[in-house]
Amino acid sequence: MCNAKELTKLNQQLTLALEATNMGIWDWDLLTNQVVWSGSHERLFGLSPGTFPGTYEAVIACIHPNDREMVVLALNHARIEQHDFHQEFRVVWSDGSIHWMESKGRCFYNNEAQAIRMLGTVMEISDRKQIEIALKDTQKQFLLLAENIQDMLWISNPLKSKVLYVSPAYEYIWGRNKESLYANSREWVDAIHPEDRNYVEAVYYENIMKGKLDEEYRIVRPDGEMRWIRDRGFAIKNEDGEVECVIGIAQDITKSKQVEDTLKQLNEELEVRVQQRTLEISKLYKQLEEELHERQRVEVALRRSEAQFRSLCEFAPIGIFKADAQGRNIYSNPRCQAICGCTFEKGLGDWKDFVHPDDIQMMMAEWNASIAAKQEYYSEVRFVNSHQNIRFCRVKSAPLLSDTEELIGHVGIVEDITEKRAIEEMKNEFISIVSHELRTPLASIRGSLGLLAAGTLDDQPEMVKQMLDIAVSDTDRLVRLVNDILDLERLEANNIILDKRWCDTSDLMEKSVEALQPLAAQNSVMLSIIPTSLQVMADPDRIVQTLINLISNAIKFSPSTSTITLIAEDLSDSILFKVQDQGRGIPDDKLEAIFGRFQQVYVDDFRQKGGTGLGLAICRSIIHQHGGRIWVESVLGKGSVFYFTLPKSVHP
């Protein structure tokens, strides 16, 4: 008997052996349903050491739900039928991962043949299962290929003269049943043409032993038809270099052989004609040579043209697409993909996925009508790209017809007109506003001058003076409007070169205040400067123009006795100017809009406060050209603060 020390040593050796083989041992008391596991067993089931409660139910709980019933049935069957338990199943670890196990066990019985205990082992076989699954997938792929190719795939054991596998193409090419070939491997030999049979048998075994076969021979089908076969194969050898099997493919080359025979006959006839008509053939050869050169030249030109067309498509500024006869997209260039917000692959097939849902019905009606009439298609629709951005697009396509006038496809272009539409709307809005602003003073001037010209007011000198003052005032307004429009257009077109130089912020603010002091006094408004002497690189005239526009606006909308304050501050990367007033304020929804052309906070401001409505738009263009930004903050009833920044430059 072993002493305690020897038992400890044996246990240690057993534990090492179990860990090395990735195995565990289990002992199930069938009377108490208690289970004893080895430590490695707990690790295999994804449990921490010492956490297994030692019950049959705990074991079953670790098994994958889809495998539990199978395992329980196998255990009961082994116990009742008194045979060994052997089962493969999955266990689910606490982290959710799934592992394959193989378990074996044996029952022990008492004198009454009652099973009282089952002892067994468990081993993880996940790697083996993955290999088995991969092997099954490979076999499926092999069978799918073999069952669907036109050539015959075959596998044989040459040492046993036995056919192991032949694909369905055997029945089509040989005209015989596969099952008969499995039953009698000599059927393949017997089908070989008698004139080729002995040779083929001899070279088959000789070449296979060398590891490679590639022969052509004839077969005779049961209906008497003869066919040419090209048979290729190679041997699969074991580690000892012995041939285990041969894999090959047999191809029906009857048609190519017929072509060869036809060519051979034609060559013979051609040789006769060459001998008889040497001069004629010489001329024909020269003609053919010229035609060949011409064809090569045309092919080169065609390839160059295709390359140019491909480059044109790839770099074209508009989208280009091609569709099949059913309207499914089969090509799109990069610009077309950019408009639709998709890749080349995602753009294939049904292009309706990119059309706005509200436009699909109208577009499909027009598209189907153009297809039915084999006519060009034209429409303007909205596209929705992958980022859910809506783009307005102009789509044109033309049908591609065969020589028999059959529709074979479509080619077309997609032009993104989103920006054009926006510009057109802005242009129309601008023209409408400018027209209104021009007509109003012109109508006033015309009315005043008409009264004077008619002599209606000859005996009313005061009224004459009033009409002249109105005409002069409206003329000045027209001049300011035209000058502001021209100034803004030159700024936004970058036609004005900024005369940048070092300026003092105090000087800029003082010049602006001096220019507007009379207007401020007329409106009983105080202008205040918080003096700060900072150096900034800028065009002084344009900055003064900006300050004057901001200050004059502040004067117009400030109550009497209020104060407008000018401030300049030194920030980390820029100089900040502020024009602060105590006026009526600006609503939040107008804080950005007022920097647009002909924008006023209220509709009556044009008439009551004067101005052209372009001052703030000019200010924004000037500041943007300096590389700064301009904005406004306001509280209704308390006033507004207009800000703009100028970037810092290093002082020389």
Side-chain angles (χ1 to χ4, degrees):
M1 295 181 65
C2 297
N3 56 32
K5 185 175 181 180
E6 291 175 340
L7 286 174
T8 301
K9 182 178 180 181
L10 288 173
N11 285 333
Q12 291 174 347
Q13 292 174 346
L14 177 60
T15 300
L16 290 174
L18 291 175
E19 291 179 353
T21 57
N22 211 19
M23 292 182 63
I25 297 176
W26 52 272
D27 188 350
W28 178 19
D29 188 331
L30 299 175
L31 300 179
T32 64
N33 250 0
Q34 294 297 306
V35 179
V36 178
W37 273 0
S38 62
S40 57
H41 201 134
E42 288 183 311
R43 177 176 55 79
L44 290 175
F45 275 59
L47 302 175
S48 301
T51 60
F52 175 58
T55 64
Y56 169 77
E57 290 76 12
V59 176
I60 298 302
C62 294
I63 298 175
H64 193 285
N66 295 341
D67 297 347
R68 288 175 188 167
E69 183 178 357
M70 171 188 68
V71 174
V72 171
L73 289 175
L75 286 170
N76 292 335
H77 190 265
R79 182 171 55 183
I80 296 171
E81 298 296 330
Q82 297 188 8
H83 62 71
D84 291 345
F85 167 73
H86 184 192
Q87 193 69 38
E88 294 179 358
F89 55 88
R90 295 166 291 177
V91 297
V92 183
W93 285 17
S94 58
D95 61 2
S97 59
I98 297 175
H99 301 259
W100 276 95
M101 301 293 167
E102 179 183 30
S103 183
K104 298 179 180 180
R106 176 172 296 175
C107 284
F108 295 90
Y109 303 85
N110 58 17
N111 295 333
E112 288 77 23
Q114 179 186 11
I116 60 174
R117 182 185 180 195
M118 183 177 283
L119 183 65
T121 63
V122 68
M123 178 173 64
E124 182 168 3
I125 58 171
S126 298
D127 292 341
R128 190 184 79 193
K129 276 293 182 180
Q130 291 177 356
I131 293 173
E132 290 177 359
I133 293 172
L135 181 59
K136 289 180 180 179
D137 289 342
T138 302
Q139 291 174 341
K140 289 179 181 179
Q141 294 172 2
F142 169 78
L143 288 175
L144 181 63
L145 173 65
E147 298 293 315
N148 289 279
I149 60 175
Q150 294 181 348
D151 301 333
M152 184 191 80
L153 186 67
W154 55 269
I155 304 174
S156 70
N157 186 334
L159 300 180
K160 296 182 179 180
S161 298
K162 183 174 180 60
V163 175
L164 304 178
Y165 172 78
V166 62
S167 68
Y170 173 77
E171 298 181 352
Y172 170 73
I173 299 175
W174 261 257
R176 291 173 168 82
N177 189 278
K178 292 193 302 180
E179 302 304 326
S180 64
L181 179 62
Y182 289 139
N184 177 20
S185 299
R186 286 290 305 177
E187 183 180 84
W188 166 74
V189 178
D190 295 339
I192 299 175
H193 194 284
E195 296 178 3
D196 300 343
R197 188 177 302 153
N198 293 336
Y199 167 76
V200 172
E201 282 195 274
V203 299
Y204 173 80
Y205 291 104
E206 179 183 352
N207 290 339
I208 282 302
M209 293 308 167
K210 294 179 182 179
K212 192 172 183 180
L213 169 72
D214 191 347
E215 294 296 332
E216 294 181 0
Y217 55 86
R218 294 166 293 175
I219 63 169
V220 180
R221 290 162 52 95
D223 58 5
E225 180 186 358
M226 186 189 73
R227 292 194 177 186
W228 274 96
I229 304 297
R230 182 185 179 188
D231 209 346
R232 290 167 288 178
F234 60 92
I236 303 297
K237 299 181 180 180
N238 59 21
E239 296 178 353
D240 299 328
E242 298 173 344
V243 176
E244 291 187 341
C245 68
V246 179
I247 298 177
I249 187 166
Q251 182 181 11
D252 186 346
I253 59 171
T254 305
K255 290 184 178 180
S256 62
K257 278 292 184 181
Q258 291 173 348
V259 172
E260 288 181 9
D261 292 341
T262 302
L263 290 175
K264 182 178 180 180
Q265 182 180 356
L266 290 175
N267 286 334
E268 292 174 353
E269 294 176 357
L270 183 60
E271 289 177 1
V272 173
R273 292 187 61 188
V274 168
Q275 294 174 358
Q276 295 175 348
R277 303 177 183 177
T278 304
L279 181 61
E280 180 182 349
I281 295 302
S282 176
K283 292 180 180 180
L284 179 61
Y285 175 79
K286 185 177 181 180
Q287 181 181 353
L288 291 174
E289 187 177 35
E290 290 175 353
E291 291 180 357
L292 178 60
H293 287 321
E294 178 63 19
R295 180 176 298 178
Q296 290 174 342
R297 185 189 67 78
V298 171
E299 289 178 352
V300 170
L302 180 59
R303 285 195 295 270
R304 184 182 297 112
S305 176
E306 290 176 346
Q308 292 173 349
F309 176 74
R310 190 177 302 110
S311 298
L312 174 64
C313 289
E314 294 298 309
F315 297 100
I318 61 174
I320 299 176
F321 68 89
K322 188 176 181 181
D324 60 18
Q326 288 71 41
R328 295 186 296 268
N329 191 31
I330 58 176
Y331 168 79
S332 62
N333 71 340
R335 179 55 185 160
C336 187
Q337 298 158 25
I339 293 173
C340 296
C342 66
T343 61
F344 177 82
E345 290 75 14
K346 289 185 178 180
L348 298 176
D350 193 353
W351 45 263
K352 294 193 294 296
D353 295 341
F354 304 106
V355 179
H356 194 286
D358 295 342
D359 294 351
I360 289 179
Q361 185 175 359
M362 174 273 295
M363 185 176 187
M364 287 306 301
E366 296 175 351
W367 172 261
N368 292 332
S370 66
I371 291 179
K374 298 180 181 179
Q375 294 177 347
E376 294 184 353
Y377 169 77
Y378 173 84
S379 182
E380 291 187 3
V381 296
R382 291 170 292 177
F383 277 47
V384 183
N385 60 26
S386 58
H387 304 294
Q388 298 303 308
N389 295 325
I390 297 176
R391 311 297 298 177
F392 288 89
C393 298
R394 181 180 293 120
V395 182
K396 295 181 181 179
S397 72
L400 298 176
L401 303 178
S402 65
D403 295 338
T404 59
E405 295 299 314
E406 180 183 359
L407 180 66
I408 59 177
H410 309 267
V411 63
I413 62 172
V414 179
E415 182 182 4
D416 189 341
I417 60 172
T418 306
E419 283 74 19
K420 287 184 179 179
R421 286 174 63 97
I423 292 172
E424 190 67 27
E425 290 178 2
M426 290 174 60
K427 175 183 174 183
N428 293 336
E429 181 181 356
F430 177 73
I431 291 174
S432 175
I433 294 174
V434 171
S435 298
H436 178 269
E437 290 303 310
L438 289 174
R439 287 194 186 104
T440 300
L442 283 174
S444 177
I445 294 171
R446 186 177 183 279
S448 298
L449 296 180
L451 290 174
L452 295 174
T456 306
L457 305 176
D458 288 348
D459 55 351
Q460 302 180 44
E462 288 298 326
M463 186 63 71
V464 170
K465 184 178 183 303
Q466 185 178 354
M467 290 296 104
L468 289 175
D469 289 342
I470 292 173
V472 170
S473 175
D474 285 337
T475 301
D476 291 340
R477 181 181 175 187
L478 280 176
V479 171
R480 288 195 305 273
L481 177 61
V482 172
N483 287 338
D484 281 353
I485 291 175
L486 294 176
D487 202 7
L488 182 59
E489 290 300 321
R490 287 195 297 269
L491 282 168
E492 294 188 349
N494 292 323
N495 289 333
I496 292 180
I497 300 175
L498 298 178
D499 181 16
K500 289 186 177 183
R501 53 181 180 270
W502 288 106
C503 309
D504 187 276
T505 55
S506 294
D507 292 342
L508 296 174
M509 291 188 291
E510 288 173 0
K511 289 180 180 179
S512 305
V513 169
E514 288 175 2
L516 292 172
Q517 197 64 53
L519 179 62
Q522 182 181 344
N523 288 270
S524 301
V525 174
M526 294 286 294
L527 299 181
S528 172
I529 299 175
I530 297 179
T532 305
S533 182
L534 301 172
Q535 295 297 311
V536 62
M537 175 64 73
D539 185 329
D541 293 337
R542 291 298 176 180
I543 300 305
V544 169
Q545 180 184 359
T546 300
L547 288 169
I548 288 175
N549 276 336
L550 297 178
I551 297 169
S552 63
N553 280 346
I555 292 172
K556 292 177 187 177
F557 301 104
S558 294
S560 60
T561 71
S562 63
T563 301
I564 297 172
T565 305
L566 278 70
I567 306 171
E569 295 181 4
D570 188 2
L571 303 182
S572 60
D573 57 351
S574 61
I575 302 298
L576 174 67
F577 287 84
K578 299 181 185 178
V579 177
Q580 183 174 358
D581 63 48
Q582 299 171 331
R584 66 186 182 187
I586 304 170
D588 290 343
D589 60 344
K590 297 288 187 178
L591 293 179
E592 177 62 27
I594 59 173
F595 289 97
R597 300 185 181 197
F598 300 106
Q599 295 294 324
Q600 293 284 359
V601 176
Y602 300 103
V603 177
D604 294 339
D605 286 346
F606 276 118
R607 183 177 67 257
Q608 296 178 359
K609 302 296 183 179
T612 63
L614 297 173
L616 289 180
I618 292 173
C619 291
R620 182 170 61 179
S621 292
I622 292 174
I623 299 305
H624 284 180
Q625 285 207 23
H626 278 79
R629 70 186 190 96
I630 184 170
W631 71 99
V632 61
E633 295 177 358
S634 182
V635 178
L636 287 176
K638 293 186 178 181
S640 305
V641 183
F642 281 82
Y643 302 86
F644 68 86
T645 61
L646 297 176
K648 280 186 175 180
S649 298
V650 179
H651 198 284

